[in-house]
Amino acid sequence: MERIRLGVIGAGLMGMKHIELVHACGICSLAGISDVDPSRKALADAFGVSFYRTAEELIDGEQPTGVIIATPNAQHAAIAEVCAKRSVHMLIEKPIADTLAQAMRIVDIANQSGIRVLVGHHRRHSPLIRKTRELVGGGAIGKLIGVSVLWALMKPDAYFDVEWRRQRHVGGPLLINLIHDLDSLRFICGEIKEVYARASSAVRGFDVEDSLSISIAFDNGAIGSVLASDATPAAWSYEAAVGENPLYFRTEENCYHFLGTSASLAFPRMELWRYADANRKGWQHPMERSQIAVGEADPLKVQLEHFCRVVRGEDEPVVNARDGAETLAVALAVQRSASKGIPIDPSELLTGIEG
Ligand SMILES: NC(=O)c1ccc[n+]([C@@H]2O[C@H](COP(=O)([O-])OP(=O)(O)OC[C@H]3O[C@@H](n4cnc5c(N)ncnc54)[C@H](O)[C@@H]3O)[C@@H](O)[C@H]2O)c1
């Protein structure tokens, strides 16, 4: 089968990862790279492809079947419009956009053009997350009562030398990191109907939050809590626990706990706790811990292979534009709740945009 030609728009930190993956992939090939920063041409030279300044030039010059958009969030919608006009399918990095208005613009572009859009919430392609969804959704722990998420680590001081990372509602663990965890919670536990959050910047004193707590209500009646801080020497974050990204020191600790009526599950060690005798329940009775085996795979690579099938029309996007907008709405609802001190229903934010 002929390889799918993919362009990469935005060759920064994330774009570089995509470029490497596309280059190494057996079912697609790198058609070209575009970046507004001319110094990124060196990367195109290293991979033996042409370099363009704009998305338009890349598409007109190379006629790729699909593109990966890895520019800053505020550029996603404008570039999506350029791609849709030229009938090019897109994998858009997460979050889908920086505002809900821009996110819904992308939803409309996808609906009106018929162009396929996959949003890069890549953890949904992680075998661990998929297995957890299968277990929790499939009744392996009984009816879901609740989930506890701990996201705690220390960002290095130098991280905050970049100004936008100190700005409220731009940088911060919520929009940069926790949006992944919130997306995974939607994927595993179901839709979120309300969030009630409190943010603190007491450690560093920057405008942006360094710590956050969120109380969650799911549509299905389950409840959840998230405690997050990027200012503590702690071992319990998805990044450190799972070790997908070699940048993080890997701790292999558990960071999520799912509580059900018949068992509970600790993630990512996939420890299932239940009573040894299902008829003898209560704190005095012995419990058993079993470990569920899960194969390893790089979620970004699995995501890319899925995108190729989406482009061919063989798969429906695991995260379509609407789904990406809904995850963004949850994150922005957390932000608004923390600012106003009131619970917020994420769907109301979307309804406001849809008019
Ligand atoms: N999936 C993940 O885990 C993950 C991790 C990090 C970043 N991201 C996402 O990836 C995207 C990029 O983030 P990053 O950390 O790589 O940023 P970055 O700043 O390292 O790279 C962005 C690149 O885009 C280029 N650019 C800006 N405007 C452009 C335009 N109009 N056309 C072409 N190029 C343009 C910049 O020059 C830069 O090289 C963001 O949406 C971010 O949220 C996702």
Side-chain angles (χ1 to χ4, degrees), residues 100 174 179 182-183 186 191-193 195 214 216 325-336 346-347 349-350:
L100 280 180
L174 172 62
I179 189 163
L182 293 170
D183 184 69
R186 289 187 59 231
E191 286 308 335
I192 291 174
K193 72 170 182 192
V195 294
I214 314 168
I216 297 176
E326 285 173 3
T327 290
L328 180 64
V330 172
L332 296 181
V334 169
Q335 192 179 77
R336 185 175 292 190
S347 71
L349 303 191
L350 276 171

mmCIF file with all atom_site columns, all heavy atoms in Angstrom, residues 100 174 179 182-183 186 191-193 195 214 216 325-336 346-347 349-350:
data_model
loop_
_atom_site.group_PDB
_atom_site.id
_atom_site.type_symbol
_atom_site.label_atom_id
_atom_site.label_alt_id
_atom_site.label_comp_id
_atom_site.label_asym_id
_atom_site.label_entity_id
_atom_site.label_seq_id
_atom_site.pdbx_PDB_ins_code
_atom_site.Cartn_x
_atom_site.Cartn_y
_atom_site.Cartn_z
_atom_site.occupancy
_atom_site.B_iso_or_equiv
_atom_site.pdbx_formal_charge
_atom_site.auth_seq_id
_atom_site.auth_comp_id
_atom_site.auth_asym_id
_atom_site.auth_atom_id
_atom_site.pdbx_PDB_model_num
ATOM 1   N N   . LEU A 1 100 ? -12.453 28.390 23.787 1.00 0.00 ? 100 LEU A N   1
ATOM 2   C CA  . LEU A 1 100 ? -13.558 27.541 23.301 1.00 0.00 ? 100 LEU A CA  1
ATOM 3   C C   . LEU A 1 100 ? -14.121 28.065 21.985 1.00 0.00 ? 100 LEU A C   1
ATOM 4   O O   . LEU A 1 100 ? -14.582 27.280 21.154 1.00 0.00 ? 100 LEU A O   1
ATOM 5   C CB  . LEU A 1 100 ? -14.654 27.460 24.354 1.00 0.00 ? 100 LEU A CB  1
ATOM 6   C CG  . LEU A 1 100 ? -14.373 26.466 25.480 1.00 0.00 ? 100 LEU A CG  1
ATOM 7   C CD1 . LEU A 1 100 ? -15.509 26.451 26.483 1.00 0.00 ? 100 LEU A CD1 1
ATOM 8   C CD2 . LEU A 1 100 ? -14.149 25.055 24.921 1.00 0.00 ? 100 LEU A CD2 1
ATOM 9   N N   . LEU A 1 174 ? -2.528  23.272 35.160 1.00 0.00 ? 174 LEU A N   1
ATOM 10  C CA  . LEU A 1 174 ? -3.865  22.915 34.658 1.00 0.00 ? 174 LEU A CA  1
ATOM 11  C C   . LEU A 1 174 ? -3.877  22.783 33.140 1.00 0.00 ? 174 LEU A C   1
ATOM 12  O O   . LEU A 1 174 ? -4.229  21.736 32.595 1.00 0.00 ? 174 LEU A O   1
ATOM 13  C CB  . LEU A 1 174 ? -4.895  23.959 35.114 1.00 0.00 ? 174 LEU A CB  1
ATOM 14  C CG  . LEU A 1 174 ? -6.286  23.806 34.486 1.00 0.00 ? 174 LEU A CG  1
ATOM 15  C CD1 . LEU A 1 174 ? -6.918  22.477 34.869 1.00 0.00 ? 174 LEU A CD1 1
ATOM 16  C CD2 . LEU A 1 174 ? -7.198  24.956 34.868 1.00 0.00 ? 174 LEU A CD2 1
ATOM 17  N N   . ILE A 1 179 ? -4.625  18.860 31.853 1.00 0.00 ? 179 ILE A N   1
ATOM 18  C CA  . ILE A 1 179 ? -5.597  18.672 30.770 1.00 0.00 ? 179 ILE A CA  1
ATOM 19  C C   . ILE A 1 179 ? -5.510  17.236 30.225 1.00 0.00 ? 179 ILE A C   1
ATOM 20  O O   . ILE A 1 179 ? -6.512  16.640 29.844 1.00 0.00 ? 179 ILE A O   1
ATOM 21  C CB  . ILE A 1 179 ? -5.439  19.740 29.661 1.00 0.00 ? 179 ILE A CB  1
ATOM 22  C CG1 . ILE A 1 179 ? -6.608  19.658 28.675 1.00 0.00 ? 179 ILE A CG1 1
ATOM 23  C CG2 . ILE A 1 179 ? -4.096  19.645 28.965 1.00 0.00 ? 179 ILE A CG2 1
ATOM 24  C CD1 . ILE A 1 179 ? -6.777  20.875 27.793 1.00 0.00 ? 179 ILE A CD1 1
ATOM 25  N N   . LEU A 1 182 ? -7.339  15.113 32.845 1.00 0.00 ? 182 LEU A N   1
ATOM 26  C CA  . LEU A 1 182 ? -8.783  15.342 32.758 1.00 0.00 ? 182 LEU A CA  1
ATOM 27  C C   . LEU A 1 182 ? -9.357  14.632 31.539 1.00 0.00 ? 182 LEU A C   1
ATOM 28  O O   . LEU A 1 182 ? -10.446 14.050 31.588 1.00 0.00 ? 182 LEU A O   1
ATOM 29  C CB  . LEU A 1 182 ? -9.086  16.849 32.707 1.00 0.00 ? 182 LEU A CB  1
ATOM 30  C CG  . LEU A 1 182 ? -8.742  17.620 33.998 1.00 0.00 ? 182 LEU A CG  1
ATOM 31  C CD1 . LEU A 1 182 ? -8.838  19.126 33.774 1.00 0.00 ? 182 LEU A CD1 1
ATOM 32  C CD2 . LEU A 1 182 ? -9.661  17.196 35.148 1.00 0.00 ? 182 LEU A CD2 1
ATOM 33  N N   . ASP A 1 183 ? -8.607  14.650 30.437 1.00 0.00 ? 183 ASP A N   1
ATOM 34  C CA  . ASP A 1 183 ? -9.069  13.933 29.242 1.00 0.00 ? 183 ASP A CA  1
ATOM 35  C C   . ASP A 1 183 ? -9.128  12.427 29.528 1.00 0.00 ? 183 ASP A C   1
ATOM 36  O O   . ASP A 1 183 ? -10.091 11.756 29.136 1.00 0.00 ? 183 ASP A O   1
ATOM 37  C CB  . ASP A 1 183 ? -8.146  14.208 28.051 1.00 0.00 ? 183 ASP A CB  1
ATOM 38  C CG  . ASP A 1 183 ? -8.669  13.544 26.790 1.00 0.00 ? 183 ASP A CG  1
ATOM 39  O OD1 . ASP A 1 183 ? -9.722  13.989 26.292 1.00 0.00 ? 183 ASP A OD1 1
ATOM 40  O OD2 . ASP A 1 183 ? -8.066  12.557 26.328 1.00 0.00 ? 183 ASP A OD2 1
ATOM 41  N N   . ARG A 1 186 ? -12.205 11.590 31.541 1.00 0.00 ? 186 ARG A N   1
ATOM 42  C CA  . ARG A 1 186 ? -13.412 11.532 30.680 1.00 0.00 ? 186 ARG A CA  1
ATOM 43  C C   . ARG A 1 186 ? -13.451 10.214 29.924 1.00 0.00 ? 186 ARG A C   1
ATOM 44  O O   . ARG A 1 186 ? -14.510 9.605  29.766 1.00 0.00 ? 186 ARG A O   1
ATOM 45  C CB  . ARG A 1 186 ? -13.407 12.681 29.653 1.00 0.00 ? 186 ARG A CB  1
ATOM 46  C CG  . ARG A 1 186 ? -13.663 14.052 30.235 1.00 0.00 ? 186 ARG A CG  1
ATOM 47  C CD  . ARG A 1 186 ? -13.806 15.092 29.108 1.00 0.00 ? 186 ARG A CD  1
ATOM 48  N NE  . ARG A 1 186 ? -14.882 14.777 28.213 1.00 0.00 ? 186 ARG A NE  1
ATOM 49  C CZ  . ARG A 1 186 ? -14.777 14.728 26.879 1.00 0.00 ? 186 ARG A CZ  1
ATOM 50  N NH1 . ARG A 1 186 ? -13.627 15.006 26.291 1.00 0.00 ? 186 ARG A NH1 1
ATOM 51  N NH2 . ARG A 1 186 ? -15.816 14.418 26.131 1.00 0.00 ? 186 ARG A NH2 1
ATOM 52  N N   . GLU A 1 191 ? -18.456 11.151 31.242 1.00 0.00 ? 191 GLU A N   1
ATOM 53  C CA  . GLU A 1 191 ? -18.532 12.614 31.137 1.00 0.00 ? 191 GLU A CA  1
ATOM 54  C C   . GLU A 1 191 ? -18.540 13.290 32.509 1.00 0.00 ? 191 GLU A C   1
ATOM 55  O O   . GLU A 1 191 ? -19.102 12.762 33.469 1.00 0.00 ? 191 GLU A O   1
ATOM 56  C CB  . GLU A 1 191 ? -19.778 13.026 30.345 1.00 0.00 ? 191 GLU A CB  1
ATOM 57  C CG  . GLU A 1 191 ? -19.658 12.785 28.858 1.00 0.00 ? 191 GLU A CG  1
ATOM 58  C CD  . GLU A 1 191 ? -18.398 13.381 28.230 1.00 0.00 ? 191 GLU A CD  1
ATOM 59  O OE1 . GLU A 1 191 ? -17.832 14.353 28.765 1.00 0.00 ? 191 GLU A OE1 1
ATOM 60  O OE2 . GLU A 1 191 ? -17.973 12.852 27.192 1.00 0.00 ? 191 GLU A OE2 1
ATOM 61  N N   . ILE A 1 192 ? -17.936 14.462 32.552 1.00 0.00 ? 192 ILE A N   1
ATOM 62  C CA  . ILE A 1 192 ? -17.852 15.244 33.788 1.00 0.00 ? 192 ILE A CA  1
ATOM 63  C C   . ILE A 1 192 ? -18.973 16.277 33.767 1.00 0.00 ? 192 ILE A C   1
ATOM 64  O O   . ILE A 1 192 ? -19.099 17.053 32.817 1.00 0.00 ? 192 ILE A O   1
ATOM 65  C CB  . ILE A 1 192 ? -16.464 15.921 33.874 1.00 0.00 ? 192 ILE A CB  1
ATOM 66  C CG1 . ILE A 1 192 ? -15.397 14.836 34.092 1.00 0.00 ? 192 ILE A CG1 1
ATOM 67  C CG2 . ILE A 1 192 ? -16.435 16.980 34.970 1.00 0.00 ? 192 ILE A CG2 1
ATOM 68  C CD1 . ILE A 1 192 ? -13.962 15.325 34.046 1.00 0.00 ? 192 ILE A CD1 1
ATOM 69  N N   . LYS A 1 193 ? -19.815 16.270 34.829 1.00 0.00 ? 193 LYS A N   1
ATOM 70  C CA  . LYS A 1 193 ? -20.942 17.220 34.791 1.00 0.00 ? 193 LYS A CA  1
ATOM 71  C C   . LYS A 1 193 ? -20.697 18.445 35.662 1.00 0.00 ? 193 LYS A C   1
ATOM 72  O O   . LYS A 1 193 ? -21.399 19.448 35.528 1.00 0.00 ? 193 LYS A O   1
ATOM 73  C CB  . LYS A 1 193 ? -22.255 16.529 35.144 1.00 0.00 ? 193 LYS A CB  1
ATOM 74  C CG  . LYS A 1 193 ? -22.429 16.156 36.584 1.00 0.00 ? 193 LYS A CG  1
ATOM 75  C CD  . LYS A 1 193 ? -23.870 15.717 36.813 1.00 0.00 ? 193 LYS A CD  1
ATOM 76  C CE  . LYS A 1 193 ? -24.077 15.375 38.275 1.00 0.00 ? 193 LYS A CE  1
ATOM 77  N NZ  . LYS A 1 193 ? -25.312 14.698 38.536 1.00 0.00 ? 193 LYS A NZ  1
ATOM 78  N N   . VAL A 1 195 ? -17.376 20.625 38.057 1.00 0.00 ? 195 VAL A N   1
ATOM 79  C CA  . VAL A 1 195 ? -16.071 20.711 38.733 1.00 0.00 ? 195 VAL A CA  1
ATOM 80  C C   . VAL A 1 195 ? -16.132 21.875 39.731 1.00 0.00 ? 195 VAL A C   1
ATOM 81  O O   . VAL A 1 195 ? -16.827 22.873 39.506 1.00 0.00 ? 195 VAL A O   1
ATOM 82  C CB  . VAL A 1 195 ? -14.907 20.936 37.736 1.00 0.00 ? 195 VAL A CB  1
ATOM 83  C CG1 . VAL A 1 195 ? -14.728 19.743 36.833 1.00 0.00 ? 195 VAL A CG1 1
ATOM 84  C CG2 . VAL A 1 195 ? -15.101 22.210 36.917 1.00 0.00 ? 195 VAL A CG2 1
ATOM 85  N N   . ILE A 1 214 ? -9.269  19.812 42.758 1.00 0.00 ? 214 ILE A N   1
ATOM 86  C CA  . ILE A 1 214 ? -10.513 19.798 41.974 1.00 0.00 ? 214 ILE A CA  1
ATOM 87  C C   . ILE A 1 214 ? -11.422 18.707 42.513 1.00 0.00 ? 214 ILE A C   1
ATOM 88  O O   . ILE A 1 214 ? -10.983 17.562 42.701 1.00 0.00 ? 214 ILE A O   1
ATOM 89  C CB  . ILE A 1 214 ? -10.262 19.487 40.475 1.00 0.00 ? 214 ILE A CB  1
ATOM 90  C CG1 . ILE A 1 214 ? -9.093  20.287 39.906 1.00 0.00 ? 214 ILE A CG1 1
ATOM 91  C CG2 . ILE A 1 214 ? -11.526 19.717 39.653 1.00 0.00 ? 214 ILE A CG2 1
ATOM 92  C CD1 . ILE A 1 214 ? -8.620  19.797 38.526 1.00 0.00 ? 214 ILE A CD1 1
ATOM 93  N N   . ILE A 1 216 ? -14.738 16.597 41.487 1.00 0.00 ? 216 ILE A N   1
ATOM 94  C CA  . ILE A 1 216 ? -15.402 16.288 40.209 1.00 0.00 ? 216 ILE A CA  1
ATOM 95  C C   . ILE A 1 216 ? -16.675 15.476 40.440 1.00 0.00 ? 216 ILE A C   1
ATOM 96  O O   . ILE A 1 216 ? -16.682 14.551 41.270 1.00 0.00 ? 216 ILE A O   1
ATOM 97  C CB  . ILE A 1 216 ? -14.452 15.458 39.302 1.00 0.00 ? 216 ILE A CB  1
ATOM 98  C CG1 . ILE A 1 216 ? -13.209 16.286 38.949 1.00 0.00 ? 216 ILE A CG1 1
ATOM 99  C CG2 . ILE A 1 216 ? -15.149 14.987 38.026 1.00 0.00 ? 216 ILE A CG2 1
ATOM 100 C CD1 . ILE A 1 216 ? -12.169 15.519 38.133 1.00 0.00 ? 216 ILE A CD1 1
ATOM 101 N N   . ALA A 1 325 ? -12.818 19.686 22.034 1.00 0.00 ? 325 ALA A N   1
ATOM 102 C CA  . ALA A 1 325 ? -13.426 20.913 22.583 1.00 0.00 ? 325 ALA A CA  1
ATOM 103 C C   . ALA A 1 325 ? -14.021 20.618 23.962 1.00 0.00 ? 325 ALA A C   1
ATOM 104 O O   . ALA A 1 325 ? -13.960 21.452 24.878 1.00 0.00 ? 325 ALA A O   1
ATOM 105 C CB  . ALA A 1 325 ? -14.498 21.430 21.633 1.00 0.00 ? 325 ALA A CB  1
ATOM 106 N N   . GLU A 1 326 ? -14.582 19.429 24.134 1.00 0.00 ? 326 GLU A N   1
ATOM 107 C CA  . GLU A 1 326 ? -15.199 19.085 25.426 1.00 0.00 ? 326 GLU A CA  1
ATOM 108 C C   . GLU A 1 326 ? -14.140 18.941 26.521 1.00 0.00 ? 326 GLU A C   1
ATOM 109 O O   . GLU A 1 326 ? -14.358 19.345 27.666 1.00 0.00 ? 326 GLU A O   1
ATOM 110 C CB  . GLU A 1 326 ? -16.057 17.819 25.280 1.00 0.00 ? 326 GLU A CB  1
ATOM 111 C CG  . GLU A 1 326 ? -17.359 18.157 24.552 1.00 0.00 ? 326 GLU A CG  1
ATOM 112 C CD  . GLU A 1 326 ? -18.227 16.960 24.198 1.00 0.00 ? 326 GLU A CD  1
ATOM 113 O OE1 . GLU A 1 326 ? -17.865 15.825 24.570 1.00 0.00 ? 326 GLU A OE1 1
ATOM 114 O OE2 . GLU A 1 326 ? -19.259 17.174 23.524 1.00 0.00 ? 326 GLU A OE2 1
ATOM 115 N N   . THR A 1 327 ? -12.987 18.377 26.175 1.00 0.00 ? 327 THR A N   1
ATOM 116 C CA  . THR A 1 327 ? -11.913 18.299 27.182 1.00 0.00 ? 327 THR A CA  1
ATOM 117 C C   . THR A 1 327 ? -11.418 19.697 27.531 1.00 0.00 ? 327 THR A C   1
ATOM 118 O O   . THR A 1 327 ? -11.176 20.014 28.705 1.00 0.00 ? 327 THR A O   1
ATOM 119 C CB  . THR A 1 327 ? -10.762 17.392 26.678 1.00 0.00 ? 327 THR A CB  1
ATOM 120 O OG1 . THR A 1 327 ? -11.224 16.050 26.671 1.00 0.00 ? 327 THR A OG1 1
ATOM 121 C CG2 . THR A 1 327 ? -9.536  17.486 27.578 1.00 0.00 ? 327 THR A CG2 1
ATOM 122 N N   . LEU A 1 328 ? -11.290 20.553 26.516 1.00 0.00 ? 328 LEU A N   1
ATOM 123 C CA  . LEU A 1 328 ? -10.872 21.932 26.795 1.00 0.00 ? 328 LEU A CA  1
ATOM 124 C C   . LEU A 1 328 ? -11.893 22.623 27.700 1.00 0.00 ? 328 LEU A C   1
ATOM 125 O O   . LEU A 1 328 ? -11.534 23.361 28.617 1.00 0.00 ? 328 LEU A O   1
ATOM 126 C CB  . LEU A 1 328 ? -10.699 22.713 25.479 1.00 0.00 ? 328 LEU A CB  1
ATOM 127 C CG  . LEU A 1 328 ? -10.272 24.178 25.631 1.00 0.00 ? 328 LEU A CG  1
ATOM 128 C CD1 . LEU A 1 328 ? -8.886  24.295 26.263 1.00 0.00 ? 328 LEU A CD1 1
ATOM 129 C CD2 . LEU A 1 328 ? -10.273 24.886 24.272 1.00 0.00 ? 328 LEU A CD2 1
ATOM 130 N N   . ALA A 1 329 ? -13.183 22.348 27.457 1.00 0.00 ? 329 ALA A N   1
ATOM 131 C CA  . ALA A 1 329 ? -14.235 22.963 28.281 1.00 0.00 ? 329 ALA A CA  1
ATOM 132 C C   . ALA A 1 329 ? -14.095 22.544 29.748 1.00 0.00 ? 329 ALA A C   1
ATOM 133 O O   . ALA A 1 329 ? -14.315 23.362 30.652 1.00 0.00 ? 329 ALA A O   1
ATOM 134 C CB  . ALA A 1 329 ? -15.612 22.572 27.747 1.00 0.00 ? 329 ALA A CB  1
ATOM 135 N N   . VAL A 1 330 ? -13.706 21.291 29.989 1.00 0.00 ? 330 VAL A N   1
ATOM 136 C CA  . VAL A 1 330 ? -13.519 20.833 31.378 1.00 0.00 ? 330 VAL A CA  1
ATOM 137 C C   . VAL A 1 330 ? -12.374 21.625 32.020 1.00 0.00 ? 330 VAL A C   1
ATOM 138 O O   . VAL A 1 330 ? -12.498 22.142 33.135 1.00 0.00 ? 330 VAL A O   1
ATOM 139 C CB  . VAL A 1 330 ? -13.234 19.303 31.443 1.00 0.00 ? 330 VAL A CB  1
ATOM 140 C CG1 . VAL A 1 330 ? -12.853 18.896 32.858 1.00 0.00 ? 330 VAL A CG1 1
ATOM 141 C CG2 . VAL A 1 330 ? -14.447 18.514 30.969 1.00 0.00 ? 330 VAL A CG2 1
ATOM 142 N N   . ALA A 1 331 ? -11.260 21.750 31.293 1.00 0.00 ? 331 ALA A N   1
ATOM 143 C CA  . ALA A 1 331 ? -10.099 22.469 31.853 1.00 0.00 ? 331 ALA A CA  1
ATOM 144 C C   . ALA A 1 331 ? -10.462 23.937 32.117 1.00 0.00 ? 331 ALA A C   1
ATOM 145 O O   . ALA A 1 331 ? -10.111 24.497 33.162 1.00 0.00 ? 331 ALA A O   1
ATOM 146 C CB  . ALA A 1 331 ? -8.914  22.367 30.894 1.00 0.00 ? 331 ALA A CB  1
ATOM 147 N N   . LEU A 1 332 ? -11.199 24.560 31.187 1.00 0.00 ? 332 LEU A N   1
ATOM 148 C CA  . LEU A 1 332 ? -11.555 25.972 31.376 1.00 0.00 ? 332 LEU A CA  1
ATOM 149 C C   . LEU A 1 332 ? -12.605 26.142 32.475 1.00 0.00 ? 332 LEU A C   1
ATOM 150 O O   . LEU A 1 332 ? -12.650 27.176 33.152 1.00 0.00 ? 332 LEU A O   1
ATOM 151 C CB  . LEU A 1 332 ? -12.031 26.584 30.052 1.00 0.00 ? 332 LEU A CB  1
ATOM 152 C CG  . LEU A 1 332 ? -10.942 26.617 28.959 1.00 0.00 ? 332 LEU A CG  1
ATOM 153 C CD1 . LEU A 1 332 ? -11.464 27.243 27.678 1.00 0.00 ? 332 LEU A CD1 1
ATOM 154 C CD2 . LEU A 1 332 ? -9.693  27.373 29.433 1.00 0.00 ? 332 LEU A CD2 1
ATOM 155 N N   . ALA A 1 333 ? -13.425 25.097 32.658 1.00 0.00 ? 333 ALA A N   1
ATOM 156 C CA  . ALA A 1 333 ? -14.397 25.134 33.762 1.00 0.00 ? 333 ALA A CA  1
ATOM 157 C C   . ALA A 1 333 ? -13.652 25.089 35.103 1.00 0.00 ? 333 ALA A C   1
ATOM 158 O O   . ALA A 1 333 ? -14.035 25.778 36.059 1.00 0.00 ? 333 ALA A O   1
ATOM 159 C CB  . ALA A 1 333 ? -15.378 23.959 33.650 1.00 0.00 ? 333 ALA A CB  1
ATOM 160 N N   . VAL A 1 334 ? -12.590 24.304 35.172 1.00 0.00 ? 334 VAL A N   1
ATOM 161 C CA  . VAL A 1 334 ? -11.770 24.249 36.392 1.00 0.00 ? 334 VAL A CA  1
ATOM 162 C C   . VAL A 1 334 ? -11.170 25.636 36.660 1.00 0.00 ? 334 VAL A C   1
ATOM 163 O O   . VAL A 1 334 ? -11.211 26.150 37.782 1.00 0.00 ? 334 VAL A O   1
ATOM 164 C CB  . VAL A 1 334 ? -10.643 23.181 36.255 1.00 0.00 ? 334 VAL A CB  1
ATOM 165 C CG1 . VAL A 1 334 ? -9.640  23.304 37.402 1.00 0.00 ? 334 VAL A CG1 1
ATOM 166 C CG2 . VAL A 1 334 ? -11.239 21.780 36.199 1.00 0.00 ? 334 VAL A CG2 1
ATOM 167 N N   . GLN A 1 335 ? -10.658 26.236 35.598 1.00 0.00 ? 335 GLN A N   1
ATOM 168 C CA  . GLN A 1 335 ? -10.055 27.572 35.714 1.00 0.00 ? 335 GLN A CA  1
ATOM 169 C C   . GLN A 1 335 ? -11.087 28.583 36.228 1.00 0.00 ? 335 GLN A C   1
ATOM 170 O O   . GLN A 1 335 ? -10.821 29.338 37.155 1.00 0.00 ? 335 GLN A O   1
ATOM 171 C CB  . GLN A 1 335 ? -9.582  27.974 34.319 1.00 0.00 ? 335 GLN A CB  1
ATOM 172 C CG  . GLN A 1 335 ? -8.694  29.154 34.247 1.00 0.00 ? 335 GLN A CG  1
ATOM 173 C CD  . GLN A 1 335 ? -8.302  29.387 32.789 1.00 0.00 ? 335 GLN A CD  1
ATOM 174 O OE1 . GLN A 1 335 ? -9.100  29.899 32.005 1.00 0.00 ? 335 GLN A OE1 1
ATOM 175 N NE2 . GLN A 1 335 ? -7.119  29.002 32.424 1.00 0.00 ? 335 GLN A NE2 1
ATOM 176 N N   . ARG A 1 336 ? -12.278 28.548 35.637 1.00 0.00 ? 336 ARG A N   1
ATOM 177 C CA  . ARG A 1 336 ? -13.310 29.514 36.024 1.00 0.00 ? 336 ARG A CA  1
ATOM 178 C C   . ARG A 1 336 ? -13.786 29.255 37.457 1.00 0.00 ? 336 ARG A C   1
ATOM 179 O O   . ARG A 1 336 ? -14.005 30.188 38.235 1.00 0.00 ? 336 ARG A O   1
ATOM 180 C CB  . ARG A 1 336 ? -14.503 29.438 35.052 1.00 0.00 ? 336 ARG A CB  1
ATOM 181 C CG  . ARG A 1 336 ? -15.525 30.520 35.352 1.00 0.00 ? 336 ARG A CG  1
ATOM 182 C CD  . ARG A 1 336 ? -16.640 30.569 34.359 1.00 0.00 ? 336 ARG A CD  1
ATOM 183 N NE  . ARG A 1 336 ? -16.231 31.011 33.033 1.00 0.00 ? 336 ARG A NE  1
ATOM 184 C CZ  . ARG A 1 336 ? -17.078 31.316 32.054 1.00 0.00 ? 336 ARG A CZ  1
ATOM 185 N NH1 . ARG A 1 336 ? -18.375 31.209 32.263 1.00 0.00 ? 336 ARG A NH1 1
ATOM 186 N NH2 . ARG A 1 336 ? -16.659 31.708 30.890 1.00 0.00 ? 336 ARG A NH2 1
ATOM 187 N N   . PRO A 1 346 ? -19.100 22.111 32.851 1.00 0.00 ? 346 PRO A N   1
ATOM 188 C CA  . PRO A 1 346 ? -18.342 22.412 31.613 1.00 0.00 ? 346 PRO A CA  1
ATOM 189 C C   . PRO A 1 346 ? -19.236 22.570 30.391 1.00 0.00 ? 346 PRO A C   1
ATOM 190 O O   . PRO A 1 346 ? -18.929 23.372 29.503 1.00 0.00 ? 346 PRO A O   1
ATOM 191 C CB  . PRO A 1 346 ? -17.424 21.189 31.451 1.00 0.00 ? 346 PRO A CB  1
ATOM 192 C CG  . PRO A 1 346 ? -17.363 20.546 32.792 1.00 0.00 ? 346 PRO A CG  1
ATOM 193 C CD  . PRO A 1 346 ? -18.644 20.870 33.490 1.00 0.00 ? 346 PRO A CD  1
ATOM 194 N N   . SER A 1 347 ? -20.342 21.833 30.331 1.00 0.00 ? 347 SER A N   1
ATOM 195 C CA  . SER A 1 347 ? -21.178 21.899 29.122 1.00 0.00 ? 347 SER A CA  1
ATOM 196 C C   . SER A 1 347 ? -21.809 23.279 28.969 1.00 0.00 ? 347 SER A C   1
ATOM 197 O O   . SER A 1 347 ? -22.136 23.710 27.866 1.00 0.00 ? 347 SER A O   1
ATOM 198 C CB  . SER A 1 347 ? -22.240 20.802 29.131 1.00 0.00 ? 347 SER A CB  1
ATOM 199 O OG  . SER A 1 347 ? -23.206 21.086 30.100 1.00 0.00 ? 347 SER A OG  1
ATOM 200 N N   . LEU A 1 349 ? -20.292 26.070 29.426 1.00 0.00 ? 349 LEU A N   1
ATOM 201 C CA  . LEU A 1 349 ? -19.334 26.927 28.716 1.00 0.00 ? 349 LEU A CA  1
ATOM 202 C C   . LEU A 1 349 ? -19.470 26.712 27.216 1.00 0.00 ? 349 LEU A C   1
ATOM 203 O O   . LEU A 1 349 ? -19.400 27.651 26.425 1.00 0.00 ? 349 LEU A O   1
ATOM 204 C CB  . LEU A 1 349 ? -17.899 26.619 29.152 1.00 0.00 ? 349 LEU A CB  1
ATOM 205 C CG  . LEU A 1 349 ? -17.552 26.743 30.644 1.00 0.00 ? 349 LEU A CG  1
ATOM 206 C CD1 . LEU A 1 349 ? -16.049 26.656 30.840 1.00 0.00 ? 349 LEU A CD1 1
ATOM 207 C CD2 . LEU A 1 349 ? -18.067 28.043 31.219 1.00 0.00 ? 349 LEU A CD2 1
ATOM 208 N N   . LEU A 1 350 ? -19.670 25.444 26.831 1.00 0.00 ? 350 LEU A N   1
ATOM 209 C CA  . LEU A 1 350 ? -19.817 25.141 25.400 1.00 0.00 ? 350 LEU A CA  1
ATOM 210 C C   . LEU A 1 350 ? -21.131 25.683 24.866 1.00 0.00 ? 350 LEU A C   1
ATOM 211 O O   . LEU A 1 350 ? -21.189 26.232 23.767 1.00 0.00 ? 350 LEU A O   1
ATOM 212 C CB  . LEU A 1 350 ? -19.763 23.627 25.185 1.00 0.00 ? 350 LEU A CB  1
ATOM 213 C CG  . LEU A 1 350 ? -18.365 23.037 25.081 1.00 0.00 ? 350 LEU A CG  1
ATOM 214 C CD1 . LEU A 1 350 ? -18.429 21.524 25.089 1.00 0.00 ? 350 LEU A CD1 1
ATOM 215 C CD2 . LEU A 1 350 ? -17.665 23.514 23.813 1.00 0.00 ? 350 LEU A CD2 1
#
